[in-house]
Amino acid sequence: MYHPYSKAVNLNVEIQGEGFPILCLHGHPGSGSSLSVFTDRLSKRFQTIAPDLRGYGKSRFKGDFDMRDHLTDLEALLDRLGIEKCLVLGWSLGGILAMELALMLPQRVTGLILIATAARPRGNHPPISLLDNLYTGIAALLNCVKPGWRWNIETFGKRSLFRYLIQQHTPTAYGYIASSAVPAYLQTSSAATRALYTAIQSGYNRLTDLEQIFCPSLVLAGTEDRHITVNSSLETAQHLINCQWQSYPNTAHLFPWEIPDQVLSDIDFWLQQHPQVIANSH
């Protein structure tokens, strides 16, 4: 008999705090540590589990794989850690995997927090020029040397591809870009990129399956998101049965790094309204 774990990768994982488990899934490019904006705060009350997905961060993998393999790895991780039930928070690609986990393991996923994501993801990113790439490289490099440097933000940041990832060019947002985005980008394998683009090109669409998800969900989106549009996030929220929706004006795909306090307080409020998602049922 075929055993799904025969192919599971032992994921590198960052675990913080104690209490009800929250599985935190990063986007592309990304790593478990790029979710620090969530885990640093949530781990004060819960146990946060932030893996590097296969082909990302320190979860190295030789050869090609497809998106389904991430789910095999995540189920094996929950088993390895002895986690029967968890809340799942996912950002971008991580949100897609969160919905897939809820479909695959409905008895284990108590709730979903879906950040800048969609079950039928659509983008409206303008074409990228050589100058875009050049400015982005310079802005990223200078920002690593001197995070949040206003001159760099004004001179290069606002002319770089960061202008599509964020709307509010604050030192806070650039601080997260320096500490989390650039290292994650450098550690993302070409196989991980191929797996994602293959899924997108095949016309990934799970909208009609969302009616099978009964756990409470919170969908958050930035109104100026060019990578996964606010309308595709809204469409997902409308197909989820027990869902709360929130969009943030003047923010883009990396909105948790633009307005972290607002996002975290909205998550806290939702958790208060839905105590069942963080309750250990006996």
Side-chain angles (χ1 to χ4, degrees):
M1 187 181 157
Y2 168 69
H3 194 265
Y5 294 178
S6 57
K7 295 201 293 193
V9 167
N10 199 349
L11 299 178
N12 179 64
V13 62
E14 213 170 274
I15 300 174
Q16 290 173 260
E18 291 173 12
F20 191 84
I22 303 180
L23 178 64
C24 301
L25 303 177
H26 65 76
H28 173 95
S31 68
S33 58
S34 58
L35 292 168
S36 64
V37 65
F38 301 109
T39 56
D40 287 352
R41 182 85 64 94
L42 290 169
S43 62
K44 291 186 167 75
R45 289 185 295 148
F46 308 103
Q47 181 184 61
T48 58
I49 297 148
D52 295 344
L53 297 171
R54 179 188 300 212
Y56 296 87
K58 293 182 182 139
S59 296
R60 307 319 298 162
F61 183 78
K62 288 188 172 68
D64 282 334
F65 58 90
D66 74 20
M67 298 298 288
R68 287 179 295 265
D69 293 321
H70 290 311
L71 302 170
T72 303
D73 297 343
L74 291 167
E75 185 179 11
L77 174 69
L78 293 177
D79 288 352
R80 189 174 95 218
L81 297 175
I83 290 167
E84 286 176 31
K85 290 183 183 296
C86 63
L87 172 63
V88 187
L89 178 151
W91 190 350
S92 194
L93 165 63
I96 290 171
L97 295 175
M99 288 182 271
E100 290 288 348
L101 276 180
L103 288 165
M104 185 173 90
L105 306 170
Q107 70 289 359
R108 292 178 88 162
V109 175
T110 59
L112 295 171
I113 299 172
L114 303 171
I115 314 273
T117 192
R120 182 167 71 114
R122 296 191 305 285
N124 58 4
H125 201 292
I128 296 170
S129 70
L130 283 172
L131 203 56
D132 282 335
N133 284 328
L134 178 67
Y135 282 148
T136 304
I138 296 170
L141 198 65
L142 289 175
N143 189 54
C144 284
V145 175
K146 193 172 176 183
W149 185 19
R150 178 54 63 189
W151 180 84
N152 179 39
I153 292 171
E154 294 299 332
T155 310
F156 295 110
K158 288 184 177 179
R159 294 178 188 157
S160 75
L161 294 172
F162 296 154
R163 71 187 186 274
Y164 301 125
L165 286 162
I166 56 176
Q167 291 294 295
Q168 301 179 30
H169 292 260
T170 62
T172 301
Y174 275 83
Y176 280 114
I177 287 170
S179 64
S180 299
V182 174
Y185 174 78
L186 297 172
Q187 289 184 308
T188 296
S189 69
S190 52
T193 303
R194 278 195 298 277
L196 176 63
Y197 285 111
T198 303
I200 291 170
Q201 281 158 1
S202 70
Y204 179 84
N205 180 358
R206 291 288 256 168
L207 280 175
T208 54
D209 301 306
L210 295 184
E211 63 190 24
Q212 299 165 38
I213 296 177
F214 296 102
C215 64
S217 54
L218 173 65
V219 177
L220 305 177
T223 56
E224 309 308 313
D225 193 333
R226 298 295 206 120
H227 292 72
I228 294 180
T229 65
V230 67
N231 287 338
S232 59
S233 293
L234 176 58
E235 179 183 56
T236 296
Q238 289 166 337
H239 278 76
L240 285 161
I241 292 164
N242 184 359
C243 180
Q244 188 175 319
W245 158 257
Q246 174 80 43
S247 68
Y248 301 100
N250 190 31
T251 63
H253 195 62
L254 302 182
F255 69 83
W257 291 349
E258 299 185 75
I259 49 164
D261 293 337
Q262 176 71 53
V263 171
L264 288 159
S265 70
D266 288 342
I267 289 173
D268 277 345
F269 184 72
W270 180 77
L271 290 171
Q272 285 166 18
Q273 305 296 106
H274 300 87
Q276 71 271 35
V277 303
I278 44 172
N280 278 308
S281 54
H282 297 292

PDB file of all heavy atoms in Angstrom, residues 31-63:
ATOM      1  N   SER A  31      10.241  32.207   4.031  1.00  0.00           N
ATOM      2  CA  SER A  31      10.733  31.179   4.942  1.00  0.00           C
ATOM      3  C   SER A  31       9.951  31.338   6.240  1.00  0.00           C
ATOM      4  O   SER A  31       9.241  32.333   6.415  1.00  0.00           O
ATOM      5  CB  SER A  31      12.235  31.355   5.207  1.00  0.00           C
ATOM      6  OG  SER A  31      12.454  32.544   5.942  1.00  0.00           O
ATOM      7  N   GLY A  32      10.094  30.382   7.132  1.00  0.00           N
ATOM      8  CA  GLY A  32       9.373  30.466   8.402  1.00  0.00           C
ATOM      9  C   GLY A  32       9.670  31.762   9.144  1.00  0.00           C
ATOM     10  O   GLY A  32       8.782  32.386   9.722  1.00  0.00           O
ATOM     11  N   SER A  33      10.935  32.200   9.091  1.00  0.00           N
ATOM     12  CA  SER A  33      11.293  33.405   9.847  1.00  0.00           C
ATOM     13  C   SER A  33      10.712  34.676   9.223  1.00  0.00           C
ATOM     14  O   SER A  33      10.638  35.712   9.886  1.00  0.00           O
ATOM     15  CB  SER A  33      12.811  33.517   9.991  1.00  0.00           C
ATOM     16  OG  SER A  33      13.419  33.546   8.732  1.00  0.00           O
ATOM     17  N   SER A  34      10.274  34.614   7.953  1.00  0.00           N
ATOM     18  CA  SER A  34       9.665  35.818   7.362  1.00  0.00           C
ATOM     19  C   SER A  34       8.256  36.070   7.908  1.00  0.00           C
ATOM     20  O   SER A  34       7.626  37.062   7.576  1.00  0.00           O
ATOM     21  CB  SER A  34       9.668  35.755   5.831  1.00  0.00           C
ATOM     22  OG  SER A  34       8.996  34.641   5.348  1.00  0.00           O
ATOM     23  N   LEU A  35       7.777  35.161   8.790  1.00  0.00           N
ATOM     24  CA  LEU A  35       6.476  35.364   9.438  1.00  0.00           C
ATOM     25  C   LEU A  35       6.630  35.940  10.847  1.00  0.00           C
ATOM     26  O   LEU A  35       5.676  35.938  11.624  1.00  0.00           O
ATOM     27  CB  LEU A  35       5.729  34.025   9.504  1.00  0.00           C
ATOM     28  CG  LEU A  35       5.300  33.485   8.133  1.00  0.00           C
ATOM     29  CD1 LEU A  35       4.843  32.047   8.251  1.00  0.00           C
ATOM     30  CD2 LEU A  35       4.193  34.339   7.534  1.00  0.00           C
ATOM     31  N   SER A  36       7.830  36.457  11.162  1.00  0.00           N
ATOM     32  CA  SER A  36       8.074  36.970  12.519  1.00  0.00           C
ATOM     33  C   SER A  36       7.079  38.060  12.916  1.00  0.00           C
ATOM     34  O   SER A  36       6.766  38.213  14.098  1.00  0.00           O
ATOM     35  CB  SER A  36       9.505  37.499  12.640  1.00  0.00           C
ATOM     36  OG  SER A  36       9.679  38.615  11.765  1.00  0.00           O
ATOM     37  N   VAL A  37       6.574  38.814  11.932  1.00  0.00           N
ATOM     38  CA  VAL A  37       5.593  39.864  12.238  1.00  0.00           C
ATOM     39  C   VAL A  37       4.365  39.264  12.939  1.00  0.00           C
ATOM     40  O   VAL A  37       3.740  39.915  13.780  1.00  0.00           O
ATOM     41  CB  VAL A  37       5.201  40.642  10.956  1.00  0.00           C
ATOM     42  CG1 VAL A  37       4.485  39.769   9.948  1.00  0.00           C
ATOM     43  CG2 VAL A  37       4.370  41.875  11.292  1.00  0.00           C
ATOM     44  N   PHE A  38       4.041  38.009  12.624  1.00  0.00           N
ATOM     45  CA  PHE A  38       2.932  37.308  13.298  1.00  0.00           C
ATOM     46  C   PHE A  38       3.417  36.503  14.504  1.00  0.00           C
ATOM     47  O   PHE A  38       2.827  36.569  15.572  1.00  0.00           O
ATOM     48  CB  PHE A  38       2.234  36.353  12.324  1.00  0.00           C
ATOM     49  CG  PHE A  38       1.663  37.035  11.119  1.00  0.00           C
ATOM     50  CD1 PHE A  38       2.236  36.873   9.871  1.00  0.00           C
ATOM     51  CD2 PHE A  38       0.557  37.865  11.229  1.00  0.00           C
ATOM     52  CE1 PHE A  38       1.719  37.512   8.752  1.00  0.00           C
ATOM     53  CE2 PHE A  38       0.032  38.511  10.118  1.00  0.00           C
ATOM     54  CZ  PHE A  38       0.616  38.331   8.878  1.00  0.00           C
ATOM     55  N   THR A  39       4.485  35.722  14.316  1.00  0.00           N
ATOM     56  CA  THR A  39       4.877  34.760  15.354  1.00  0.00           C
ATOM     57  C   THR A  39       5.404  35.447  16.613  1.00  0.00           C
ATOM     58  O   THR A  39       5.159  34.976  17.716  1.00  0.00           O
ATOM     59  CB  THR A  39       5.920  33.767  14.817  1.00  0.00           C
ATOM     60  OG1 THR A  39       7.051  34.483  14.309  1.00  0.00           O
ATOM     61  CG2 THR A  39       5.339  32.898  13.701  1.00  0.00           C
ATOM     62  N   ASP A  40       6.097  36.587  16.460  1.00  0.00           N
ATOM     63  CA  ASP A  40       6.625  37.258  17.652  1.00  0.00           C
ATOM     64  C   ASP A  40       5.504  37.650  18.595  1.00  0.00           C
ATOM     65  O   ASP A  40       5.652  37.565  19.814  1.00  0.00           O
ATOM     66  CB  ASP A  40       7.443  38.506  17.260  1.00  0.00           C
ATOM     67  CG  ASP A  40       8.792  38.147  16.644  1.00  0.00           C
ATOM     68  OD1 ASP A  40       9.155  36.956  16.659  1.00  0.00           O
ATOM     69  OD2 ASP A  40       9.479  39.066  16.139  1.00  0.00           O
ATOM     70  N   ARG A  41       4.382  38.079  18.038  1.00  0.00           N
ATOM     71  CA  ARG A  41       3.249  38.515  18.868  1.00  0.00           C
ATOM     72  C   ARG A  41       2.389  37.318  19.301  1.00  0.00           C
ATOM     73  O   ARG A  41       2.049  37.186  20.484  1.00  0.00           O
ATOM     74  CB  ARG A  41       2.401  39.523  18.085  1.00  0.00           C
ATOM     75  CG  ARG A  41       1.204  40.091  18.845  1.00  0.00           C
ATOM     76  CD  ARG A  41       1.545  41.292  19.709  1.00  0.00           C
ATOM     77  NE  ARG A  41       1.999  42.424  18.903  1.00  0.00           N
ATOM     78  CZ  ARG A  41       1.193  43.404  18.482  1.00  0.00           C
ATOM     79  NH1 ARG A  41      -0.098  43.401  18.780  1.00  0.00           N
ATOM     80  NH2 ARG A  41       1.683  44.399  17.772  1.00  0.00           N
ATOM     81  N   LEU A  42       2.050  36.451  18.355  1.00  0.00           N
ATOM     82  CA  LEU A  42       1.141  35.342  18.681  1.00  0.00           C
ATOM     83  C   LEU A  42       1.773  34.344  19.645  1.00  0.00           C
ATOM     84  O   LEU A  42       1.072  33.713  20.442  1.00  0.00           O
ATOM     85  CB  LEU A  42       0.713  34.629  17.393  1.00  0.00           C
ATOM     86  CG  LEU A  42      -0.235  35.424  16.481  1.00  0.00           C
ATOM     87  CD1 LEU A  42      -0.381  34.736  15.122  1.00  0.00           C
ATOM     88  CD2 LEU A  42      -1.603  35.604  17.130  1.00  0.00           C
ATOM     89  N   SER A  43       3.108  34.204  19.601  1.00  0.00           N
ATOM     90  CA  SER A  43       3.765  33.202  20.460  1.00  0.00           C
ATOM     91  C   SER A  43       3.750  33.596  21.933  1.00  0.00           C
ATOM     92  O   SER A  43       4.116  32.805  22.793  1.00  0.00           O
ATOM     93  CB  SER A  43       5.207  32.960  20.000  1.00  0.00           C
ATOM     94  OG  SER A  43       5.966  34.149  20.113  1.00  0.00           O
ATOM     95  N   LYS A  44       3.315  34.817  22.229  1.00  0.00           N
ATOM     96  CA  LYS A  44       3.169  35.199  23.643  1.00  0.00           C
ATOM     97  C   LYS A  44       1.980  34.482  24.287  1.00  0.00           C
ATOM     98  O   LYS A  44       1.916  34.334  25.510  1.00  0.00           O
ATOM     99  CB  LYS A  44       3.002  36.717  23.764  1.00  0.00           C
ATOM    100  CG  LYS A  44       4.270  37.489  23.406  1.00  0.00           C
ATOM    101  CD  LYS A  44       4.096  38.988  23.677  1.00  0.00           C
ATOM    102  CE  LYS A  44       5.415  39.723  23.621  1.00  0.00           C
ATOM    103  NZ  LYS A  44       5.909  39.922  22.248  1.00  0.00           N
ATOM    104  N   ARG A  45       1.012  34.041  23.447  1.00  0.00           N
ATOM    105  CA  ARG A  45      -0.179  33.359  23.985  1.00  0.00           C
ATOM    106  C   ARG A  45      -0.384  31.963  23.421  1.00  0.00           C
ATOM    107  O   ARG A  45      -1.145  31.176  23.972  1.00  0.00           O
ATOM    108  CB  ARG A  45      -1.429  34.205  23.682  1.00  0.00           C
ATOM    109  CG  ARG A  45      -1.510  35.486  24.502  1.00  0.00           C
ATOM    110  CD  ARG A  45      -2.814  36.195  24.230  1.00  0.00           C
ATOM    111  NE  ARG A  45      -2.885  36.645  22.840  1.00  0.00           N
ATOM    112  CZ  ARG A  45      -4.014  36.724  22.143  1.00  0.00           C
ATOM    113  NH1 ARG A  45      -5.157  36.346  22.687  1.00  0.00           N
ATOM    114  NH2 ARG A  45      -3.995  37.167  20.897  1.00  0.00           N
ATOM    115  N   PHE A  46       0.245  31.684  22.302  1.00  0.00           N
ATOM    116  CA  PHE A  46       0.036  30.400  21.619  1.00  0.00           C
ATOM    117  C   PHE A  46       1.388  29.783  21.258  1.00  0.00           C
ATOM    118  O   PHE A  46       2.422  30.433  21.404  1.00  0.00           O
ATOM    119  CB  PHE A  46      -0.787  30.605  20.332  1.00  0.00           C
ATOM    120  CG  PHE A  46      -2.062  31.366  20.547  1.00  0.00           C
ATOM    121  CD1 PHE A  46      -2.170  32.704  20.186  1.00  0.00           C
ATOM    122  CD2 PHE A  46      -3.158  30.752  21.134  1.00  0.00           C
ATOM    123  CE1 PHE A  46      -3.344  33.419  20.400  1.00  0.00           C
ATOM    124  CE2 PHE A  46      -4.340  31.455  21.352  1.00  0.00           C
ATOM    125  CZ  PHE A  46      -4.429  32.784  20.993  1.00  0.00           C
ATOM    126  N   GLN A  47       1.327  28.545  20.786  1.00  0.00           N
ATOM    127  CA  GLN A  47       2.531  27.941  20.233  1.00  0.00           C
ATOM    128  C   GLN A  47       2.518  28.161  18.723  1.00  0.00           C
ATOM    129  O   GLN A  47       1.613  27.694  18.034  1.00  0.00           O
ATOM    130  CB  GLN A  47       2.577  26.438  20.530  1.00  0.00           C
ATOM    131  CG  GLN A  47       3.840  25.783  19.991  1.00  0.00           C
ATOM    132  CD  GLN A  47       3.860  24.281  20.203  1.00  0.00           C
ATOM    133  OE1 GLN A  47       3.004  23.562  19.702  1.00  0.00           O
ATOM    134  NE2 GLN A  47       4.815  23.823  20.974  1.00  0.00           N
ATOM    135  N   THR A  48       3.485  28.917  18.223  1.00  0.00           N
ATOM    136  CA  THR A  48       3.550  29.132  16.774  1.00  0.00           C
ATOM    137  C   THR A  48       4.548  28.165  16.151  1.00  0.00           C
ATOM    138  O   THR A  48       5.636  27.943  16.683  1.00  0.00           O
ATOM    139  CB  THR A  48       3.937  30.585  16.428  1.00  0.00           C
ATOM    140  OG1 THR A  48       5.204  30.898  17.020  1.00  0.00           O
ATOM    141  CG2 THR A  48       2.885  31.567  16.926  1.00  0.00           C
ATOM    142  N   ILE A  49       4.136  27.584  15.036  1.00  0.00           N
ATOM    143  CA  ILE A  49       4.942  26.598  14.315  1.00  0.00           C
ATOM    144  C   ILE A  49       5.129  27.153  12.906  1.00  0.00           C
ATOM    145  O   ILE A  49       4.168  27.245  12.140  1.00  0.00           O
ATOM    146  CB  ILE A  49       4.211  25.244  14.284  1.00  0.00           C
ATOM    147  CG1 ILE A  49       4.037  24.724  15.710  1.00  0.00           C
ATOM    148  CG2 ILE A  49       4.960  24.221  13.424  1.00  0.00           C
ATOM    149  CD1 ILE A  49       2.793  23.929  15.905  1.00  0.00           C
ATOM    150  N   ALA A  50       6.355  27.576  12.585  1.00  0.00           N
ATOM    151  CA  ALA A  50       6.609  28.233  11.298  1.00  0.00           C
ATOM    152  C   ALA A  50       7.669  27.455  10.519  1.00  0.00           C
ATOM    153  O   ALA A  50       8.862  27.688  10.680  1.00  0.00           O
ATOM    154  CB  ALA A  50       7.050  29.679  11.525  1.00  0.00           C
ATOM    155  N   PRO A  51       7.241  26.501   9.676  1.00  0.00           N
ATOM    156  CA  PRO A  51       8.211  25.729   8.907  1.00  0.00           C
ATOM    157  C   PRO A  51       8.725  26.498   7.690  1.00  0.00           C
ATOM    158  O   PRO A  51       8.058  27.394   7.178  1.00  0.00           O
ATOM    159  CB  PRO A  51       7.395  24.514   8.449  1.00  0.00           C
ATOM    160  CG  PRO A  51       5.981  24.998   8.389  1.00  0.00           C
ATOM    161  CD  PRO A  51       5.853  26.071   9.446  1.00  0.00           C
ATOM    162  N   ASP A  52       9.937  26.130   7.256  1.00  0.00           N
ATOM    163  CA  ASP A  52      10.389  26.486   5.907  1.00  0.00           C
ATOM    164  C   ASP A  52       9.801  25.412   4.994  1.00  0.00           C
ATOM    165  O   ASP A  52      10.096  24.221   5.166  1.00  0.00           O
ATOM    166  CB  ASP A  52      11.923  26.422   5.795  1.00  0.00           C
ATOM    167  CG  ASP A  52      12.635  27.456   6.666  1.00  0.00           C
ATOM    168  OD1 ASP A  52      11.983  28.409   7.123  1.00  0.00           O
ATOM    169  OD2 ASP A  52      13.850  27.283   6.887  1.00  0.00           O
ATOM    170  N   LEU A  53       8.985  25.802   4.037  1.00  0.00           N
ATOM    171  CA  LEU A  53       8.422  24.820   3.106  1.00  0.00           C
ATOM    172  C   LEU A  53       9.539  24.174   2.282  1.00  0.00           C
ATOM    173  O   LEU A  53      10.649  24.713   2.183  1.00  0.00           O
ATOM    174  CB  LEU A  53       7.421  25.506   2.163  1.00  0.00           C
ATOM    175  CG  LEU A  53       6.176  26.112   2.833  1.00  0.00           C
ATOM    176  CD1 LEU A  53       5.395  26.942   1.826  1.00  0.00           C
ATOM    177  CD2 LEU A  53       5.289  25.021   3.426  1.00  0.00           C
ATOM    178  N   ARG A  54       9.226  23.030   1.704  1.00  0.00           N
ATOM    179  CA  ARG A  54      10.189  22.321   0.850  1.00  0.00           C
ATOM    180  C   ARG A  54      10.753  23.257  -0.231  1.00  0.00           C
ATOM    181  O   ARG A  54       9.997  23.913  -0.945  1.00  0.00           O
ATOM    182  CB  ARG A  54       9.478  21.134   0.187  1.00  0.00           C
ATOM    183  CG  ARG A  54      10.361  20.328  -0.740  1.00  0.00           C
ATOM    184  CD  ARG A  54       9.597  19.296  -1.528  1.00  0.00           C
ATOM    185  NE  ARG A  54       8.909  18.299  -0.703  1.00  0.00           N
ATOM    186  CZ  ARG A  54       8.713  17.034  -1.074  1.00  0.00           C
ATOM    187  NH1 ARG A  54       9.155  16.604  -2.242  1.00  0.00           N
ATOM    188  NH2 ARG A  54       8.052  16.216  -0.288  1.00  0.00           N
ATOM    189  N   GLY A  55      12.083  23.300  -0.316  1.00  0.00           N
ATOM    190  CA  GLY A  55      12.730  24.137  -1.323  1.00  0.00           C
ATOM    191  C   GLY A  55      12.891  25.592  -0.913  1.00  0.00           C
ATOM    192  O   GLY A  55      13.351  26.407  -1.704  1.00  0.00           O
ATOM    193  N   TYR A  56      12.511  25.912   0.338  1.00  0.00           N
ATOM    194  CA  TYR A  56      12.632  27.274   0.850  1.00  0.00           C
ATOM    195  C   TYR A  56      13.469  27.264   2.122  1.00  0.00           C
ATOM    196  O   TYR A  56      13.515  26.252   2.838  1.00  0.00           O
ATOM    197  CB  TYR A  56      11.255  27.854   1.197  1.00  0.00           C
ATOM    198  CG  TYR A  56      10.315  28.033   0.023  1.00  0.00           C
ATOM    199  CD1 TYR A  56       9.493  26.993  -0.401  1.00  0.00           C
ATOM    200  CD2 TYR A  56      10.224  29.255  -0.639  1.00  0.00           C
ATOM    201  CE1 TYR A  56       8.617  27.157  -1.468  1.00  0.00           C
ATOM    202  CE2 TYR A  56       9.347  29.432  -1.703  1.00  0.00           C
ATOM    203  CZ  TYR A  56       8.540  28.386  -2.108  1.00  0.00           C
ATOM    204  OH  TYR A  56       7.674  28.555  -3.164  1.00  0.00           O
ATOM    205  N   GLY A  57      14.078  28.414   2.434  1.00  0.00           N
ATOM    206  CA  GLY A  57      14.811  28.535   3.694  1.00  0.00           C
ATOM    207  C   GLY A  57      15.817  27.418   3.858  1.00  0.00           C
ATOM    208  O   GLY A  57      16.607  27.132   2.957  1.00  0.00           O
ATOM    209  N   LYS A  58      15.751  26.751   5.019  1.00  0.00           N
ATOM    210  CA  LYS A  58      16.705  25.671   5.308  1.00  0.00           C
ATOM    211  C   LYS A  58      16.148  24.290   4.992  1.00  0.00           C
ATOM    212  O   LYS A  58      16.783  23.280   5.285  1.00  0.00           O
ATOM    213  CB  LYS A  58      17.126  25.744   6.787  1.00  0.00           C
ATOM    214  CG  LYS A  58      17.933  27.005   7.091  1.00  0.00           C
ATOM    215  CD  LYS A  58      18.374  27.043   8.546  1.00  0.00           C
ATOM    216  CE  LYS A  58      19.135  28.336   8.850  1.00  0.00           C
ATOM    217  NZ  LYS A  58      18.754  28.890  10.160  1.00  0.00           N
ATOM    218  N   SER A  59      14.932  24.237   4.418  1.00  0.00           N
ATOM    219  CA  SER A  59      14.367  22.932   4.012  1.00  0.00           C
ATOM    220  C   SER A  59      14.831  22.639   2.583  1.00  0.00           C
ATOM    221  O   SER A  59      14.084  22.749   1.618  1.00  0.00           O
ATOM    222  CB  SER A  59      12.837  22.948   4.098  1.00  0.00           C
ATOM    223  OG  SER A  59      12.415  23.119   5.423  1.00  0.00           O
ATOM    224  N   ARG A  60      16.116  22.275   2.467  1.00  0.00           N
ATOM    225  CA  ARG A  60      16.707  22.054   1.147  1.00  0.00           C
ATOM    226  C   ARG A  60      16.144  20.774   0.528  1.00  0.00           C
ATOM    227  O   ARG A  60      15.811  19.835   1.242  1.00  0.00           O
ATOM    228  CB  ARG A  60      18.237  21.944   1.215  1.00  0.00           C
ATOM    229  CG  ARG A  60      18.958  23.085   1.913  1.00  0.00           C
ATOM    230  CD  ARG A  60      18.420  24.467   1.600  1.00  0.00           C
ATOM    231  NE  ARG A  60      18.520  24.835   0.192  1.00  0.00           N
ATOM    232  CZ  ARG A  60      17.829  25.814  -0.361  1.00  0.00           C
ATOM    233  NH1 ARG A  60      16.970  26.519   0.358  1.00  0.00           N
ATOM    234  NH2 ARG A  60      17.969  26.088  -1.646  1.00  0.00           N
ATOM    235  N   PHE A  61      16.070  20.773  -0.791  1.00  0.00           N
ATOM    236  CA  PHE A  61      15.537  19.601  -1.487  1.00  0.00           C
ATOM    237  C   PHE A  61      16.150  19.543  -2.872  1.00  0.00           C
ATOM    238  O   PHE A  61      16.184  20.540  -3.591  1.00  0.00           O
ATOM    239  CB  PHE A  61      14.002  19.688  -1.582  1.00  0.00           C
ATOM    240  CG  PHE A  61      13.381  18.485  -2.222  1.00  0.00           C
ATOM    241  CD1 PHE A  61      13.226  17.309  -1.510  1.00  0.00           C
ATOM    242  CD2 PHE A  61      12.959  18.519  -3.548  1.00  0.00           C
ATOM    243  CE1 PHE A  61      12.661  16.188  -2.097  1.00  0.00           C
ATOM    244  CE2 PHE A  61      12.401  17.408  -4.144  1.00  0.00           C
ATOM    245  CZ  PHE A  61      12.249  16.241  -3.408  1.00  0.00           C
ATOM    246  N   LYS A  62      16.651  18.360  -3.222  1.00  0.00           N
ATOM    247  CA  LYS A  62      17.233  18.187  -4.565  1.00  0.00           C
ATOM    248  C   LYS A  62      16.162  17.681  -5.524  1.00  0.00           C
ATOM    249  O   LYS A  62      15.422  16.766  -5.201  1.00  0.00           O
ATOM    250  CB  LYS A  62      18.377  17.165  -4.510  1.00  0.00           C
ATOM    251  CG  LYS A  62      19.646  17.675  -3.817  1.00  0.00           C
ATOM    252  CD  LYS A  62      20.784  16.669  -3.989  1.00  0.00           C
ATOM    253  CE  LYS A  62      22.109  17.234  -3.494  1.00  0.00           C
ATOM    254  NZ  LYS A  62      22.137  17.418  -2.042  1.00  0.00           N
ATOM    255  N   GLY A  63      16.111  18.268  -6.702  1.00  0.00           N
ATOM    256  CA  GLY A  63      15.161  17.780  -7.710  1.00  0.00           C
ATOM    257  C   GLY A  63      13.851  18.544  -7.698  1.00  0.00           C
ATOM    258  O   GLY A  63      13.605  19.386  -6.841  1.00  0.00           O
TER     259      GLY A  63
END
